[in-house]
Amino acid sequence: MLVEQPVHLAVACAVVLLIFASLGPPAWRRVRMLLGVAIAGGLIVGFHWAMGTTPLGVASALRLASAATLALTTRFEDLLAVLEAVLHPLQRLDDAYRASAASRDLLPKREIVSNV
């Protein structure tokens, strides 16, 4: 993850919740859907508290809350469009790999003979 500190995750989660709240009444009707996320986050924090890794539990719960809230505010098609735009530069690496693999197939293959 790009953000690991619970304080930074809390700020990111607050920003996502503010974006969610800014959508107005249609988003506010979906607040009940976040109740399950809050319960799951509480269970995660409680489990990590019992294990002695409370900061990790808080970070995990904040990631869950941010992802769930973002999923409520974004249509799947829009999320895919953003991911495709962000990951588009990696297509050059795939094209270079395919060209490299194709050129290797064109070269004559050498047999390895071992002296036994």
Side-chain angles (χ1 to χ4, degrees):
M1 287 293 185
L2 297 176
V3 180
E4 295 180 7
Q5 300 297 324
V7 174
H8 299 141
L9 282 167
V11 171
C13 188
V15 168
V16 169
L17 287 172
L18 286 173
I19 291 170
F20 181 75
S22 72
L23 296 176
W28 300 341
R29 286 189 285 264
R30 294 187 177 191
V31 168
R32 296 181 79 191
M33 297 176 80
L34 293 177
L35 182 61
V37 174
I39 292 170
L43 290 173
I44 290 170
V45 171
F47 173 77
H48 280 280
W49 174 76
M51 299 299 291
T53 57
T54 305
L56 181 61
V58 170
S60 298
L62 289 171
R63 283 187 185 120
L64 175 68
S66 297
T69 307
L70 185 63
L72 287 175
T73 60
T74 308
R75 290 185 308 179
F76 185 69
E77 295 83 19
D78 295 336
L79 187 59
L80 279 179
V82 169
L83 287 175
E84 286 177 358
V86 169
L87 297 176
H88 184 70
L90 294 178
Q91 185 177 3
R92 292 185 199 141
L93 294 174
D94 185 49
D95 293 341
Y97 173 76
R98 288 175 190 244
S100 171
S103 67
R104 280 184 276 142
D105 290 342
L106 295 176
L107 296 175
K109 297 186 181 194
R110 296 182 186 174
E111 292 183 24
I112 299 175
V113 178
S114 62
N115 294 331
V116 180

